[in-house]
Amino acid sequence: MKKVIVACGGAVATSTVAANKIRDLLKEKNIPADVSQCRVSELGFKASGTDLIVTTAKVDRDYGVPVIHGVAFISGVGVDKTKQQILDVLK
């Protein structure tokens, strides 16, 4: 099972929207995954053992895990490209 963390500033609004869309995408593509949410400030503690981090906030730190900027799930601009990036990492 893949492990995905979706992070935003407060781990409430934008990460919830993005996480739900990512769950739907992975279910549609039959990719078993545990999708959880956290604050960007918590990534340093939670990134270990994760396959992918999707963030709706700007992240410059290297966690040793692929990081995809997921603001497209909020804005609607570039969603297909972002979905494909996620699938490329998790397949």
Side-chain angles (χ1 to χ4, degrees):
M1 179 172 291
K2 301 293 184 178
K3 184 176 176 188
V4 179
I5 295 178
V6 183
C8 71
V12 179
T14 59
S15 65
T16 300
V17 172
N20 287 335
K21 291 182 180 183
I22 292 167
R23 285 184 189 102
D24 291 344
L25 170 67
L26 298 179
K27 184 176 180 181
E28 174 188 320
K29 299 297 183 179
N30 296 314
I31 299 173
D34 174 30
V35 179
S36 61
Q37 296 165 239
C38 73
R39 291 177 177 89
V40 169
S41 61
E42 299 172 317
L43 283 172
F45 303 105
K46 298 192 175 209
S48 179
T50 299
D51 296 292
L52 173 65
I53 295 169
V54 179
T55 178
T56 59
K58 185 174 167 110
V59 173
D60 294 322
R61 185 172 164 193
D62 181 1
Y63 296 98
V65 175
V67 176
I68 294 174
H69 193 59
V71 76
F73 291 117
I74 309 308
S75 69
V77 177
V79 173
D80 290 337
K81 180 181 177 184
T82 303
K83 286 181 177 180
Q84 190 57 56
Q85 290 174 323
I86 291 169
L87 294 174
D88 289 346
V89 169
L90 296 179
K91 284 193 172 183

